[in-house]
Each structure stands twice: as structure tokens, then as C-alpha cells.
Amino acid sequence: MDDLVVAGIAVVAGLVAAFLLRILLKWLGKHADRTKWSGDDVIVAALRTVVPWAAFSGGVAVAAAALPLKSATQRHTNQVLTVLLIFVVTVAAARLVAGLVQTVTQSRSGVAGSATIFVNITRVLVLAIGFLVVLQTLGISIAPLLTALGVGGLAVALALQDTLANLFAGIHILASKTVQPGDYIRLSSGEEGYVEDINWRQTTVRALSNNLIVIPNGQLAKSNMTNFMRPEQQLTILVQVGVGYDSDLEHVERVTCEVVTEVMTAIEGAVPEHEPLVRFHTFGDSRIGFTVILGVGEFSDQFRIKHEFIKQLHKRYRQENISVPAPRRTVSLQQGSLTIPQQRDALDVTP
């Protein structure tokens, strides 16, 4: 009876300790939420999984030691408690390490912030180590198992060539830092958009239409690709404009630069410090062509900036009486034939 009382006290003490520790860790979790570093949230969450179970398992172990059990029963009980504790610690360690890996990658530029491939590989490795420790604890030799896994791994590698190719291609892409989640890319095959994630098999790209494009990592590694976010996020865009031959080009350049300055200052996503650039380059059939160079913060900003720039430029040209002629042709009709002698600024049909 005394042994039963001691065992009951040990179990109850373990339960009370687990309950109190859970409350303490919950309080610590609230304080961790207030800090800037998200790693402490991951650590506290892992401890909330391990510590209460460890306290309960300790209480049960003390209770088992206090009872007059046979040696075989005592040994099996200790093994069960040890396996339970190893399982809980392994799961918590997998969450902890995977969470810390994700925290570190999110806090550093040029590293895959949301790429799940590193997180998944880390989680699988920790769980595999925990499984091997459980087998060793139960007295099962893991040397034959490792040998069998090595031989069987060759057959699996041959059967899963495409999958493994995508896996190593994804690791290579992330390690070389040519593509990272958040980058805007365009493939030679025409697909383009923001990279959402790179996992063990595929890369997910979100197009500007908000549709998801799934690209196998092997295909991405072999494709010719333009990354609009590297080496820097800011880029320049070119807008083609033309004015009539009777225009004062000095006046046109000055007015255009003023419009560029206004747009760069007022529109979100523009780069105000970008110097307005106008470059004349072509004597066209009906106009003198030139290029306006604008600076934008990132790839998707160019559409809004082009939109506002063209509107403002057209309005200002009308105020300044600067003509933007459309290409037209003079058509002469003769008996039984149609001739087009040359291009003009007006459409004249002469029978």
C-alpha cells in the first residue's frame, strides 16, 4: 500500500508539474510575441511540446520505480517511457530546427525566405535521426538497416530520376542565388511572374493575373531566364515618343523632362532621384522619334508609371502645341492601277 501511495504521489506530481510548466511556457510565449525576433517564438513553441511531456514521463518513471515490479516489466516500462520521450523530443526538435531555419532565411536578404525545400529537408533529417535513436533504444541494430537502405537507395534513385533531378535542381537554384522567392522572372518559353515558393519538386510563380504557374525545378534550371530583381530591384524602362518635323526639339526636350520630373515625384513606385533622360534617335517617315528613360522601383510599377506618364505628356503637348503626327499615306488612283508614291502627314485620295 505504501508503494502504491508513493507511485500515485509521483504520477500526480508529474501531472501538476506538467500543468504548471505549460502555464509558465504560455506566459513566456506571450512575451516572446512582443519581441522583434521570431526565433524565440519557435523555441517557446518547441518547449511547450517537450517540457510537459517530460515532466509527466518523469513522474510515471518514478512511480514505476517505486512499485515492486518484476525486472522484465520494469525494463519494458522504462523502454516505453524512453521511446515516448524520444518521440516527443524528436518531434519538438524537428519543429524547432525547421522553424529556426525558416526564421534565419526570412531575416537575410538573398536567401530563400519562403522556400520550403530547406525547411522540409531539415525536418526529415531530424525525424530520421530520431527514428534511428528509437530503434537503437529498443535494442534493434541499425547497421543492417543502413546497409539495406544504401542498397535500396540505388534502386529508388533509378526509379525516381525525375524527382531527384528536380530536388537537386531546386537546391542548386537556391544555393546559387539566381532565383529567390519574391523575384520577378521571365522564362524564354514566355512564363513570367513573382516566385512564390521553391519546394523539393517545383517552383510556384504567381503571374500578374494572379494565376499560379507551376514549373518543375529541372525545367527552370535549364531555361533561359531574366530575373528583373537582380542584381538590384530598381530598373529603367523605355517609352518611345515621336513629334512632328516642325517642332522645336529643344522645347520638346525641356517639356518632356518637366513631365518626367512631375511623374517621378507624384506617382507611387517611381524613383524621384532618377535623372530625366530624353534621347532623339530616328528621322521617321512622319515624325522624329525619341526615347524617354524612366526609373521604376520594381517590375510591376512600370505599368502604372507608363500609364500616368503618357497621359501627362499628351496633356502637356496639347498645351504647348507640340504635334504628335500619326503616320499617313497619300494615295493616288489612276486608271486601272493603284500607286502609293510617298508618305505624307495627311490622307489625300485623288481620283
Side-chain angles (χ1 to χ4, degrees):
M1 182 62 67
D2 293 338
D3 295 335
L4 290 176
V5 171
V6 173
I9 292 174
V11 173
V12 172
L15 289 173
V16 171
F19 178 74
L20 293 177
L21 288 171
R22 189 170 182 82
I23 293 177
L24 175 62
L25 291 171
K26 187 177 181 180
W27 177 78
L28 290 176
K30 292 181 179 179
H31 284 273
D33 291 336
R34 302 172 186 172
T35 61
K36 296 181 180 179
W37 185 51
S38 58
D40 52 1
D41 299 333
V42 177
I43 296 173
V44 172
L47 291 177
R48 289 179 64 180
T49 303
V50 176
V51 174
W53 280 101
F56 175 70
S57 299
V60 174
V62 172
L67 293 175
L69 300 176
K70 296 181 179 180
S71 59
T73 305
Q74 184 73 36
R75 185 174 65 256
H76 292 319
T77 302
N78 291 334
Q79 282 184 342
V80 170
L81 292 175
T82 303
V83 169
L84 176 62
L85 186 59
I86 292 174
F87 174 75
V88 174
V89 170
T90 301
V91 173
R95 292 179 180 176
L96 174 63
V97 175
L100 290 177
V101 169
Q102 188 170 10
T103 301
V104 171
T105 55
Q106 286 178 345
S107 62
R108 295 185 179 182
S109 59
V111 183
S114 62
T116 58
I117 183 171
F118 289 139
V119 177
N120 291 336
I121 290 176
T122 304
R123 185 181 291 115
V124 169
L125 287 177
V126 174
L127 292 177
I129 293 173
F131 177 71
L132 294 178
V133 172
V134 169
L135 293 180
Q136 192 71 27
T137 302
L138 295 176
I140 301 174
S141 178
I142 62 175
L145 178 60
L146 294 177
T147 303
L149 289 176
V151 175
L154 296 176
V156 172
L158 293 175
L160 301 176
Q161 292 184 29
D162 293 339
T163 301
L164 292 177
N166 289 325
L167 173 61
F168 288 107
I171 295 176
H172 170 72
I173 290 171
L174 293 174
S176 62
K177 299 181 182 180
T178 55
V179 179
Q180 301 292 331
D183 291 351
Y184 191 95
I185 63 173
R186 177 185 294 161
L187 303 183
S188 58
S189 54
E191 295 90 352
E192 63 177 275
Y194 287 98
V195 177
E196 289 283 312
D197 189 25
I198 303 175
N199 58 31
W200 62 275
R201 181 182 179 275
Q202 62 201 17
T203 299
T204 305
V205 177
R206 183 177 297 276
L208 293 179
S209 59
N210 209 31
N211 297 322
L212 291 180
I213 304 172
V214 179
I215 306 171
N217 292 333
Q219 179 181 344
L220 181 64
K222 293 185 293 185
S223 299
N224 295 330
M225 176 184 59
T226 303
N227 191 334
F228 292 95
M229 297 294 190
R230 299 182 184 277
E232 60 182 14
Q233 187 171 340
Q234 295 183 1
L235 68 154
T236 57
I237 58 174
L238 308 179
V239 180
Q240 304 299 329
V241 189
V243 294
Y245 277 93
D246 57 346
S247 302
D248 182 356
L249 298 187
E250 294 291 341
H251 181 60
V252 170
E253 183 177 5
R254 183 173 61 257
V255 170
T256 305
C257 289
E258 292 176 359
V259 174
V260 171
T261 302
E262 294 175 1
V263 172
M264 292 293 100
T265 305
I267 304 303
E268 181 182 359
V271 182
E273 60 272 15
H274 188 274
E275 181 183 358
L277 294 175
V278 175
R279 295 293 182 264
F280 296 95
H281 55 72
T282 305
F283 286 102
D285 293 330
S286 59
R287 64 177 70 185
I288 297 177
F290 61 93
T291 300
V292 182
I293 304 175
L294 307 175
V296 298
E298 63 167 298
F299 183 85
S300 61
D301 293 331
Q302 63 175 307
F303 305 104
R304 178 175 60 256
I305 294 172
K306 280 184 180 180
H307 169 76
E308 294 296 334
F309 172 70
I310 291 175
K311 286 199 309 182
Q312 296 295 332
L313 188 64
H314 181 261
K315 179 180 178 181
R316 184 66 182 277
Y317 277 4
R318 294 185 65 180
Q319 294 175 354
E320 300 289 338
N321 294 322
I322 299 175
S323 63
V324 184
R328 298 181 180 180
R329 295 179 181 272
T330 299
V331 180
S332 299
L333 296 178
Q334 298 180 358
Q335 233 174 348
S337 64
L338 172 64
T339 61
I340 306 176
Q342 57 184 346
Q343 295 185 355
R344 301 292 185 186
D345 290 340
L347 180 60
D348 300 326
V349 179
T350 305

